[in-house]
Amino acid sequence: MRFISSLSRVFSRWSAKWIPSSLAIALLLTIVVYALGIAVAGRSFYECFTYWLEGFSVLLEFGMQMTLILMTGFMVASAPPVSRLLNYLAGLPRTPRQTLVMMSVVSLLAHWIHWGVGSIVGVIMVRFLIERQRDVDYRVLVAVGYFGMSASWHVGISGSAPLLVATPGNLFESEIGILPLSQTVLTTPSILLVIFVGVILTLLAPLLQSGSAEGEGRITEEGISKLVALTTQKEVPALERKFNFSHWVDHQRIFSLGIGLTALLCLGIYLASNGFAITLNTVNFGFFFLALVLHRSLSAFFAAAQDGVKLVHGIIIQFPLYAGIFGIIQGSGLTMIIGNAFVAVATPASFPLIIYYYSCLMNYLVPSGGGQFILQASYMISAAERLGVPFRELLVPYAWGDMTTNFLQPFWCLPLLTAAQLDFKDIMGYLMIPFLTTLTIVSVAIYFFL
């Protein structure tokens, strides 16, 4: 146990020195792909620029869908009923080790249900747990709160790539058709794998800390005060006694509740009549109006939206860069070149495992499950057709690859780190052993069982 915590600190010091920002990684990847377009695909500097320019806006619709997933997830997770539930759960652990187990379970489950909810639930849960259990190492607690983004979200019901190919009109429908979640991440082997990995990580979580927190691992009273301030919902003005229609609409519970429940009822009827086909649009619609139901009024709903918008700047700024990279890969012919490279080294049996490892690498360079899939899908489809591998069999390996290196990638940890007032270097060392564990388990599962 001491060995694990000591090794975690070694990795933490290494990451502090060598890990750049997520925006820097996106820009560096742009330069690399631009150079590949010139050196490998034989295109001119200006030609690559035109591909980059033409691709820059291709992900506007998808970027908005991802923005809404994070925002609506925040609005649901920050609603009073959810906060009360998390506060109750936070009161159950009695020791630092039990606290880390609870954090792991909540993070993994919440991210599987909805990665936007999971991201914010992690923030709120850290606040409630640390208020009650001061002996837990704060850095380890925050690291464990990131487990869900690294080991459950992309094989859950809000995973970007599975939902994209399940959505009519997506970029790749003409090549692969529509693939519902029941054929990808909601198959029995996929569900069993996420449960098994989740159990192992939950057992590992308390081993990352040895003894009581001390020094840098103990949060200060000032730190707790700031964390409480960041995770406390804003107060909204009370309903005036004298009737005022505009004020009544904004603050009356029955108005927002009635609209929200009606929309959810209609959505349920729509899903039932369409075979419960879950898409990006139905997920966003459902969580939008669920947030409306859970908040006390339109005014409270809007206040939550104002807080949530602060978390989506990364998607808004970086998705155009990923779209530009996609434009270069598509326009320059790198798609076919990379697809040929896959075919040269892969067999039908090994191709899913190669996709897993390749996705692990690409995720570190492109920390966006949806953006990364846009970049990879074209040559994955090309290689899969020539190898005779059904594309649906590659979605789970891709999704796990996209998640696994999140243990080492700061981008989706930014909301949690911002609230916790930590840098990624403070927690990365504690994520290295969970990363290696997950990598090993998933590699075996993909090659032998999926």
Side-chain angles (χ1 to χ4, degrees):
M1 295 182 185
R2 289 187 179 275
F3 170 75
I4 292 178
S5 58
S6 299
L7 188 60
S8 296
R9 286 192 292 271
V10 171
F11 286 132
S12 183
R13 289 193 293 269
W14 176 85
S15 65
K17 183 177 181 180
W18 293 105
I19 304 302
S21 70
S22 55
L23 179 59
I25 291 172
L27 290 169
L28 288 171
L29 180 63
T30 301
I31 296 171
V32 169
V33 173
Y34 205 109
L36 289 174
I38 297 171
V40 177
R43 303 298 181 177
S44 69
F45 184 92
Y46 182 73
E47 283 178 317
C48 286
F49 172 76
T50 61
Y51 304 142
W52 189 30
L53 178 63
E54 291 167 1
F56 197 73
S57 59
V58 76
L59 295 185
L60 289 180
E61 178 182 358
F62 188 49
M64 185 61 180
Q65 289 169 324
M66 292 297 99
T67 298
L68 278 174
I69 278 191
L70 185 54
M71 277 200 63
T72 56
F74 174 89
M75 293 157 70
V76 168
S78 63
V82 178
S83 291
R84 287 194 292 271
L85 173 62
L86 296 178
N87 196 15
Y88 168 77
L89 293 175
L92 298 179
R94 292 291 180 263
T95 66
R97 294 184 184 279
Q98 292 175 5
T99 297
L100 293 171
V101 167
M102 177 61 75
M103 184 76 256
S104 177
V105 171
V106 170
S107 176
L108 289 163
L109 181 58
H111 279 88
W112 188 88
I113 294 172
H114 188 290
W115 65 263
V117 170
S119 298
I120 310 309
V121 160
V123 173
I124 298 172
M125 198 66 181
V126 164
R127 172 251 173 115
F128 288 144
L129 287 170
I130 203 68
E131 280 184 305
R132 289 172 168 79
Q133 185 56 255
R134 304 297 178 87
D135 286 335
V136 68
D137 190 309
Y138 185 47
R139 299 163 301 177
V140 177
L141 182 65
V142 172
V144 173
Y146 196 41
F147 277 7
M149 188 55 77
S150 306
S152 68
W153 84 272
H154 215 156
V155 287
I157 58 178
S158 71
S160 302
L163 279 181
L164 178 64
V165 298
T167 300
N170 70 76
L171 287 172
F172 309 105
E173 182 178 358
S174 61
E175 298 170 276
I176 61 174
I178 301 298
L179 299 177
L181 298 189
S182 59
Q183 294 182 19
T184 57
V185 296
L186 295 187
T187 59
T188 299
S190 176
I191 293 172
L192 290 176
L193 178 57
V194 74
I195 291 173
F196 183 74
V197 172
V199 170
I200 297 300
L201 289 178
T202 299
L203 294 174
L204 180 62
L207 304 181
L208 298 176
Q209 174 177 328
S210 58
S212 298
E214 55 185 25
E216 296 179 357
R218 182 179 289 273
I219 190 172
T220 63
E221 292 298 328
E222 180 184 3
I224 289 180
S225 298
K226 291 180 179 179
L227 183 60
V228 169
L230 285 169
T231 54
T232 300
Q233 189 180 29
K234 293 179 180 178
E235 291 294 328
V236 295
L239 183 64
E240 295 178 353
R241 291 186 178 181
K242 185 178 180 180
F243 181 76
N244 179 303
F245 179 75
S246 62
H247 198 271
W248 180 87
V249 169
D250 283 338
H251 295 83
Q252 180 55 257
R253 172 66 168 158
I254 190 65
F255 186 73
S256 58
L257 184 64
I259 292 176
L261 289 176
T262 300
L264 291 177
L265 177 62
C266 291
L267 176 62
I269 295 172
Y270 172 84
L271 289 174
S273 62
N274 287 274
F276 292 97
I278 300 173
T279 68
L280 277 168
N281 297 326
T282 58
V283 168
N284 279 330
F285 185 94
F287 275 82
F288 183 96
F289 287 100
L290 177 60
L292 190 61
V293 168
L294 293 176
H295 284 279
R296 296 187 298 273
S297 63
L298 291 180
S299 182
F301 175 87
F302 192 72
Q306 288 178 309
D307 289 336
V309 77
K310 299 173 185 176
L311 302 176
V312 301
H313 64 278
I315 294 176
I316 296 170
I317 292 299
Q318 294 186 49
F319 258 57
L321 294 176
Y322 301 145
I325 294 169
F326 171 73
I328 296 173
I329 290 175
Q330 286 283 80
S332 68
L334 283 173
T335 291
M336 187 60 64
I337 293 170
I338 299 173
N340 289 337
F342 276 136
V343 173
V345 300
T347 65
S350 66
F351 190 44
L353 187 60
I354 290 175
I355 288 297
Y356 172 61
Y357 290 139
Y358 180 74
S359 298
C360 283
L361 174 62
M362 285 296 292
N363 177 61
Y364 194 77
L365 299 174
V366 185
S368 162
Q372 179 190 341
F373 183 72
I374 295 295
L375 303 185
Q376 286 186 226
S378 294
Y379 44 82
M380 284 171 56
I381 292 169
S382 174
E385 287 177 349
R386 280 179 280 173
L387 289 168
V389 178
F391 189 76
R392 66 178 179 274
E393 295 180 9
L394 302 180
L395 260 293
V396 171
Y398 164 79
W400 273 104
D402 172 67
M403 290 191 300
T404 303
T405 41
N406 274 348
F407 281 113
L408 314 180
Q409 168 54 258
F411 182 66
W412 293 112
C413 196
L414 292 177
L416 182 57
L417 292 173
T418 299
Q421 303 153 74
L422 294 173
D423 293 322
F424 192 64
K425 63 185 179 183
D426 297 320
I427 69 167
M428 182 179 169
Y430 301 105
L431 293 170
M432 286 298 296
I433 294 172
F435 161 69
L436 295 172
T437 301
T438 302
L439 182 71
T440 302
I441 294 172
V442 176
S443 296
V444 172
I446 289 174
Y447 191 77
F448 291 103
F449 301 109
L450 292 181

